[in-house]
Amino acid sequence: MKIVKISSMTCMSCIIMNNVMNRIKDNYNIEIENVDYDFDDISKYNVGKILPVIIFYNNDKEIKRLEGEHPYSEIERIIKDEEV
Amino acid sequence: MKKYSYILLFILMLIPNMVFGKELNIYLFHGDGCPHCRDEIAFFDEYLEDKDNIHLYKYEVWYDKDNVSKLEEVAKITGKEADGIPYLVIGDYVISGFSTGIQKKIVKRIEHCLENSCPDKTGVYLGKALEDNDVEDNYDDEVYNVPILGEISARDVSIPILAIVIGLVDGFNPCAMWILIFLISMLFGMKDKKKMWTLGLTFILTSGIVYFLFMASWLNLASFINKVSLVRSLIGAFAIIFGIVNVYNYIKSRKKDAGCEVTDEKKRKKIISYIKKIVSEKKFIIALLGIMVLAFLVNLIELLCSLGLPVIFTEVLSLNNLSTTEYILYMLLYIIFFLMDDIIIFVIAMKTLEIKAISNKYTKYSHLIGGIIMLILGVLLILKPEWLMFNF
């Protein structure tokens, strides 16, 4: 499983989600790719108007997408569901 | 029989003085054609009909230049700026404007001066009182006895509370916050801590100055336009619309996940590259000036985003006929609380080198609270402006 996190240094919700994703990284052996909304090429991710965007991939296929702030438990549930 | 009727007549002549006791002079500065002045004069015509011991002296100031000079001098004596009419002086105490609430306030002040002694330096200056008896006047219009704090007036408490509450709610406006967050992230890359503090605080301080200048300009304008009740009602209507939009935005987004809405891509990129340029600038003085220009421009542009709350707060201030110092102090109080969240985020970030963000879900609540405040103040501006003068 792989997670792509698209966030911006200008966004409060992104800072909050950075902390959540850091905890995920500490507790699960999952690759998390950080993409900067302002400085990286985001064209292939089809990002809307709300940040951050968390995209979950399994075998390079997008399986789930979250926008905005979400609790640790929700991210954890998605990972566990996929692992089963 | 004739002898008794003389005695009876004498007793009857004494009755008014026994009932009302003292004589009282009151001074009304008014304008010909001013609707509030006309209402106030009509009120006095009726109220003073059976009160021969109260003398009303009227001074027209829209067409009579001499009376304007008199008003300016009286304002110096009373210490209350003459920024609007009707301007009524009872025992050197000024009551400006006219409404049902103010009517009660006038009667209360008159009764107070009839029961107690009130100073009349205004009367001495205008040649209507012989000498100033130099009495101490402990009168306050709406005084409440609060345990521990003692006697406090409704106005002295209500305006600061309003300044703090609206300032705090306004501070959660996310429009300019993202720029501070990005600036802090960029400052982390600097090695000199002193420069980091200076640049960050300069940004926050300049933002406060821009806000203050805007509020002061609006206050100046409001003191003129508030004379026309239609304009005041229009501002009230604007507040109601703004309030409804904010509450609607809350209802619309309350079930959505909190997040940052990205708008105006072009402007964002411009500001981001400008901040990067400032932070990498080798000459500190240029960086400092750059940060001031940035804060000035950004806050000016983003002002539209949170125009409603500062406008409505200055509107309330202008209704209260305060002194210039009071106006400035209340606006500063508002701005301190407006900048409070920025200051807290900045100080924590500088101390821990980590940005502690405030969840955007609180921004949603600030929209709701801000919307409700705007709705209430808008309705009061139209229907009960005297309540905003805290004359309940």
Side-chain angles (χ1 to χ4, degrees):
Chain A
M1 189 182 207
K2 182 186 167 188
I3 297 175
V4 173
K5 174 171 69 71
I6 303 159
S7 60
S8 163
M9 278 202 275
T10 64
C11 160
M12 293 272 224
S13 297
C14 300
I15 295 166
I16 283 170
M17 283 313 286
N18 283 350
N19 298 334
V20 172
M21 295 313 287
N22 285 342
R23 275 178 66 198
I24 293 286
K25 203 175 178 182
D26 290 343
N27 297 329
Y28 293 90
N29 188 23
I30 291 174
E31 184 194 348
I32 299 177
E33 187 185 337
N34 292 311
V35 178
D36 193 297
Y37 179 85
D38 299 302
F39 302 111
D40 297 328
D41 179 20
I42 53 154
S43 53
K44 65 175 173 178
Y45 297 110
N46 196 21
V47 178
K49 287 279 176 202
I50 302 291
L51 287 178
V53 179
I54 316 278
I55 311 172
F56 299 81
Y57 291 93
N58 205 349
N59 296 324
D60 289 333
K61 195 180 160 207
E62 182 176 332
I63 51 163
K64 179 93 184 163
R65 180 181 284 237
L66 297 176
E67 282 180 348
E69 293 174 34
H70 293 267
Y72 176 84
S73 57
E74 193 179 341
I75 312 280
E76 194 175 42
R77 201 178 54 240
I78 296 170
I79 295 168
K80 280 183 176 165
D81 284 352
E82 207 48 44
E83 278 175 348
V84 171
Chain B
M1 186 66 194
K2 207 175 176 185
K3 192 176 147 192
Y4 288 116
S5 52
Y6 278 129
I7 293 169
L8 186 69
L9 188 67
F10 180 71
I11 291 168
L12 281 173
M13 280 170 72
L14 279 177
I15 283 175
N17 275 339
M18 287 194 310
V19 172
F20 296 109
K22 293 168 185 164
E23 300 268 320
L24 178 68
N25 288 346
I26 52 185
Y27 313 96
L28 175 66
F29 292 87
H30 66 101
D32 265 354
C34 141
H36 290 305
C37 306
R38 190 189 54 222
D39 292 348
E40 186 157 353
I41 290 168
F43 156 73
F44 273 122
D45 285 346
E46 201 185 321
Y47 178 72
L48 297 179
E49 210 172 356
D50 56 348
K51 296 176 183 69
D52 295 337
N53 57 326
I54 302 172
H55 312 289
L56 173 70
Y57 297 101
K58 290 178 269 186
Y59 300 88
E60 203 288 326
V61 292
W62 278 5
Y63 300 100
D64 191 327
K65 281 184 182 168
D66 286 346
N67 285 345
V68 175
S69 321
K70 282 178 185 160
L71 176 58
E72 285 166 359
E73 209 49 50
V74 168
K76 282 182 200 159
I77 293 168
T78 59
K80 283 279 176 190
E81 257 181 87
D83 52 4
I85 49 167
Y87 184 95
L88 180 73
V89 187
I90 308 171
D92 291 344
Y93 179 85
V94 176
I95 300 173
S96 52
F98 188 71
S99 64
T100 325
I102 288 177
Q103 203 171 300
K104 287 180 201 157
K105 200 171 166 180
I106 292 169
V107 173
K108 203 175 157 191
R109 176 63 181 169
I110 288 174
E111 284 168 356
H112 171 87
C113 285
L114 287 174
E115 285 165 19
N116 307 278
S117 290
C118 287
D120 193 9
K121 289 191 177 75
T122 308
V124 174
Y125 163 71
L126 292 169
K128 303 296 178 195
L130 283 176
E131 58 182 39
D132 179 26
N133 46 7
D134 207 21
V135 285
E136 202 181 324
D137 189 15
N138 295 321
Y139 179 80
D140 205 342
D141 48 348
E142 297 289 339
V143 174
Y144 300 97
N145 214 334
V146 178
I148 303 166
L149 295 175
E151 285 193 336
I152 48 175
S153 81
R155 181 183 298 190
D156 288 348
V157 174
S158 309
I159 301 178
I161 289 176
L162 207 63
I164 292 169
V165 172
I166 304 184
L168 266 180
V169 171
D170 195 15
F172 273 95
N173 139 48
C175 303
M177 177 63 91
W178 71 267
I179 298 158
L180 177 72
I181 297 289
F182 185 73
L183 177 67
I184 294 172
S185 312
M186 288 288 109
L187 290 178
F188 284 162
M190 288 178 92
K191 280 173 190 144
D192 192 332
K193 265 215 153 186
K194 218 170 158 185
K195 283 182 183 172
M196 283 162 70
W197 278 95
T198 313
L199 288 178
L201 287 176
T202 303
F203 180 84
I204 294 173
L205 194 72
T206 314
S207 304
I209 291 170
V210 175
Y211 230 70
F212 180 81
L213 289 176
F214 166 73
M215 286 172 84
S217 321
W218 184 264
L219 187 69
N220 263 336
L221 185 69
S223 59
F224 282 106
I225 59 176
N226 272 348
K227 285 172 192 160
V228 186
S229 62
L230 179 72
V231 178
R232 202 175 54 221
S233 300
L234 278 176
I235 294 168
F238 155 78
I240 292 171
I241 294 167
F242 191 91
I244 291 170
V245 169
N246 267 6
V247 174
Y248 172 75
N249 281 343
Y250 168 77
I251 294 167
K252 206 175 72 176
S253 65
R254 80 183 194 281
K255 281 188 179 151
K256 280 188 192 167
D257 299 317
C260 305
E261 200 171 339
V262 188
T263 48
D264 203 343
E265 206 64 33
K266 239 180 162 178
K267 192 179 80 189
R268 250 172 78 84
K269 298 264 186 225
K270 244 185 183 171
I271 294 173
I272 285 172
S273 62
Y274 186 75
I275 294 174
K276 284 175 89 178
K277 223 171 164 181
I278 292 170
V279 176
S280 59
E281 175 61 50
K282 286 201 175 73
K283 282 186 183 159
F284 183 65
I285 188 74
I286 294 177
L288 196 68
L289 288 172
I291 217 86
M292 286 162 88
V293 171
L294 172 80
F296 190 83
L297 292 177
V298 158
N299 280 284
L300 214 60
I301 297 163
E302 301 294 358
L303 209 54
L304 280 174
C305 176
S306 66
L307 189 70
L309 290 169
V311 163
I312 215 74
F313 177 71
T314 38
E315 191 67 25
V316 172
L317 280 187
S318 77
L319 281 174
N320 275 279
N321 190 38
L322 304 165
S323 68
T324 311
T325 319
E326 284 173 310
Y327 281 135
I328 293 172
L329 286 175
Y330 288 135
M331 285 193 288
L332 286 177
L333 187 67
Y334 181 102
I335 288 164
I336 288 169
F337 279 86
F338 168 72
L339 293 175
M340 192 66 89
D341 56 338
D342 292 13
I343 295 168
I344 291 171
I345 289 173
F346 177 72
V347 171
I348 292 175
M350 288 297 110
K351 290 272 181 200
T352 61
L353 290 181
E354 196 184 327
I355 302 171
K356 298 275 183 224
I358 301 168
S359 169
N360 268 325
K361 67 182 170 206
Y362 298 115
T363 309
K364 281 197 226 173
Y365 297 132
S366 84
H367 277 152
L368 176 69
I369 300 167
I372 293 170
I373 291 174
M374 292 287 284
L375 264 173
I376 295 170
L377 294 182
V379 170
L380 288 181
L381 262 179
I382 296 172
L383 299 176
K384 289 274 174 196
E386 66 271 17
W387 285 17
L388 296 173
M389 297 172 203
F390 307 101
N391 308 314
F392 307 108

